[in-house]
């Protein structure tokens, strides 16, 4: 199975192409870290998208306010023009001065006209002051709009960068992650799935035995929830994890452990360390006994029951064969 494998190194991206050799460059920790980065980046994209939406809403509000202010300025400017057109000229003609000095009625009319003129002058000043205030407010709104627009541009660039990063991480994760289950440990295949000799009371071996040194890490074969942690019985220290893969329930078993690093009820990621290979229970040497059950755990000492050969479902990282050398 050929895959293009993408692994993040610091802030850069390294590409590896190949078949099984490419899997040698990766570890379950790489898978877990990539999955964490993927989830974090998804959240960042979501948060940035929400920020952009909030900025767009604010920008619309600022534009609406700016439009309303433009209408006010236009109306106030028109009012100022009307006031200026209505102003009585400050300088009276010589004839008007002579008449107003001789005739009392003309003098009274001149006084009224002067009073009206002063009122218009005062109104002009008031309207002009209001217009200046509106223009200052307009400048402030424009400055606010520029700041909001700058924030929008910055967030848009950030969003584009994050979505590109998310796309790369998705490709990287898909290239690394097994199609279904991850082979939970590295070691030597000491016994396969199928008929057994009858030692320890069973004639069918419903899992794989992976021999390795005591303390060798054991990883979760798939994301799921730990449903059992026990130290009793023929399995010795063992773990059961329940998984949901494309709507199908599965249960994996990890037995004869030296150390258990998870608790019942704990959620685990695919590739997350859950324990160490050991020699507890009915075991003739340090190894991991690994089972995959379709549905709930259902053991049978004489048949496969609902267990499935892990060699058909579990892969090493990068989609490679689960067998490496004698493993």
């Amino acid at each position: 199975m050929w895959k293009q494998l993408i692994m993040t190194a610091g802030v850069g991206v390294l590409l590896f192409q190949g078949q099984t050799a490419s899997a040698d460059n990766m570890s379950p920790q790489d898978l877990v870290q990539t999955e964490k980065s993927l989830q974090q980046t998804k959240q960042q994209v979501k948060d940035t998208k929400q920020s952009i939406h909030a900025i767009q809403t604010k920008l619309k509000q600022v534009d609406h306010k700016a439009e309303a202010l433009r209408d006010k300025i236009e109306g106030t400017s028109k009012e100022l023009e009307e006031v200026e057109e209505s102003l009585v000229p400050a300088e009276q003609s010589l004839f008007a001065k002579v008449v107003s000095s001789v005739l009392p009625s003309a003098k009274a009319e001149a006084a009224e006209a002067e009073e009206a003129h002063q009122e218009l002058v005062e109104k002009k000043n008031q309207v002009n002051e209001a217009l200046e205030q509106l223009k200052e407010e307009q400048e402030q709104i424009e400055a606010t709009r520029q700041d909001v627009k700058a924030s929008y541009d910055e967030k848009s660039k950030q969003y584009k960068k994050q979505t590109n990063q998310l796309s790369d991480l998705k490709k990287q994760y898909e290239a690394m992650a097994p199609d279904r289950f991850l082979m939970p440990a590295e070691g030597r295949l000491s016994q396969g799935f199928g008929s057994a000799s009858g030692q320890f009371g069973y004639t069918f071996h419903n899992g794989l035995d992976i021999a390795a040194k005591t303390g060798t890490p054991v990883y979760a074969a798939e994301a799921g929830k730990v449903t059992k942690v026990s130290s009793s019985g023929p399995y010795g220290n063992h773990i059961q994890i329940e998984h949901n893969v494309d709507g199908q329930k599965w249960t994996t078993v990890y037995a004869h452990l030296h150390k258990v690093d998870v608790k019942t009820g704990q959620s685990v990621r695919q590739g997350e360390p859950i324990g160490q290979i050991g020699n507890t229970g009915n075991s003739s040497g340090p190894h991991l006994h690994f089972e995959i059950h379709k549905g709930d755990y259902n053991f049978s000492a004489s048949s496969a029951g609902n267990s499935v050969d892990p060699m058909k479902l579990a892969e090493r990282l990068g989609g490679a064969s689960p067998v490496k050398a004698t493993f």
Side-chain angles (χ1 to χ4, degrees):
M1 182 185 296
W2 288 81
K3 282 193 177 185
Q4 184 182 60
L5 307 177
I6 308 171
M7 294 185 64
T8 303
V11 295
V13 174
L14 301 178
L15 294 179
F16 296 88
Q17 288 187 344
Q19 196 170 10
T20 59
S22 57
D24 296 334
N25 300 307
M26 295 179 292
S27 69
Q29 291 92 329
D30 294 322
L31 181 66
V32 171
Q33 186 56 51
T34 301
E35 199 271 339
K36 287 181 179 179
S37 297
L38 181 61
Q39 296 304 319
Q40 290 171 355
T41 305
K42 281 182 179 179
Q43 186 61 48
Q44 289 172 354
V45 168
K46 182 179 178 181
D47 293 342
T48 302
K49 189 174 182 179
Q50 290 176 343
S51 296
I52 290 175
H53 178 71
I55 292 171
Q56 288 176 325
T57 299
K58 186 174 182 180
L59 191 59
K60 287 180 181 179
Q61 292 172 345
V62 171
D63 286 341
H64 180 73
K65 191 173 182 180
E67 185 178 354
L69 193 58
R70 282 194 295 270
D71 292 340
K72 277 188 178 181
I73 290 175
E74 184 178 345
T76 304
S77 298
K78 186 175 182 181
E79 182 181 4
L80 182 60
E81 291 176 2
E82 292 174 351
V83 171
E84 289 176 340
E85 290 176 359
S86 301
L87 276 172
V88 177
E91 296 294 331
Q92 291 181 318
S93 66
L94 179 61
F95 176 76
K97 288 182 179 181
V98 172
V99 171
S100 63
S101 64
V102 174
L103 298 176
S105 59
K107 187 175 183 179
E109 289 177 3
E112 290 177 1
E114 180 64 21
E115 183 178 354
H117 176 78
Q118 291 302 322
E119 289 177 354
L120 287 172
V121 169
E122 185 177 347
K123 185 174 182 181
K124 175 186 175 182
N125 292 335
Q126 292 174 348
V127 174
N128 197 47
E129 184 178 350
L131 184 61
E132 290 301 319
Q133 290 177 349
L134 288 172
K135 288 182 178 180
E136 288 179 6
E137 188 177 350
Q138 186 180 46
E139 290 178 358
Q140 293 174 355
I141 289 178
E142 181 57 28
T144 299
R145 188 184 187 283
Q146 291 301 321
D147 290 342
V148 175
K149 184 63 168 59
S151 296
Y152 175 79
D153 292 341
E154 182 181 353
K155 284 293 181 182
S156 295
K157 290 179 182 178
Q158 184 180 3
Y159 181 75
K160 184 177 180 180
K161 182 179 179 181
Q162 289 172 345
T163 52
N164 288 337
Q165 183 181 5
L166 180 60
S167 177
D168 289 342
L169 283 169
K170 284 181 178 179
K171 292 176 183 177
Q172 174 177 323
Y173 184 77
E174 289 171 0
M176 292 173 66
D179 290 337
R180 191 170 296 175
F181 292 98
L182 170 71
M183 191 59 71
E186 291 284 344
R188 178 177 60 85
L189 181 61
S190 58
Q191 185 174 358
F193 183 88
S195 298
S197 63
Q199 185 183 15
F200 298 125
Y202 60 86
T203 57
F204 192 92
H205 191 241
N206 54 5
L208 297 181
D209 284 350
I210 303 170
K213 292 181 180 180
T214 297
T216 299
V218 176
Y219 306 98
E222 177 58 273
K225 185 177 183 179
V226 178
T227 55
K228 182 180 180 181
V229 172
S230 178
S231 60
S232 62
Y235 282 168
N237 296 328
H238 63 282
I239 301 167
Q240 288 185 16
I241 303 177
E242 183 180 297
H243 317 274
N244 187 310
V245 181
D246 298 329
Q248 172 64 52
K249 182 179 179 181
W250 298 83
T251 303
T252 53
V253 180
Y254 314 78
H256 310 305
L257 301 175
H258 169 67
K259 182 182 178 184
V260 173
D261 294 324
V262 292
K263 297 179 180 180
T264 302
Q266 180 178 337
S267 294
V268 294
R269 301 173 187 269
Q270 186 179 48
E272 185 175 340
I274 59 173
Q276 297 175 1
I277 284 180
N279 190 29
T280 60
N282 292 346
S283 174
S284 57
H287 73 285
L288 170 69
H289 175 75
F290 174 56
E291 300 175 16
I292 299 178
H293 294 260
K294 190 173 185 179
D296 294 322
Y297 172 72
N298 184 12
F299 174 77
S300 172
S302 58
S303 68
N306 70 341
S307 63
V308 182
D309 185 354
M311 292 291 281
K312 296 181 179 179
L313 296 180
E315 299 173 339
R316 294 176 62 243
L317 292 174
S321 167
V323 177
K324 176 185 177 186
T326 55
F327 166 61

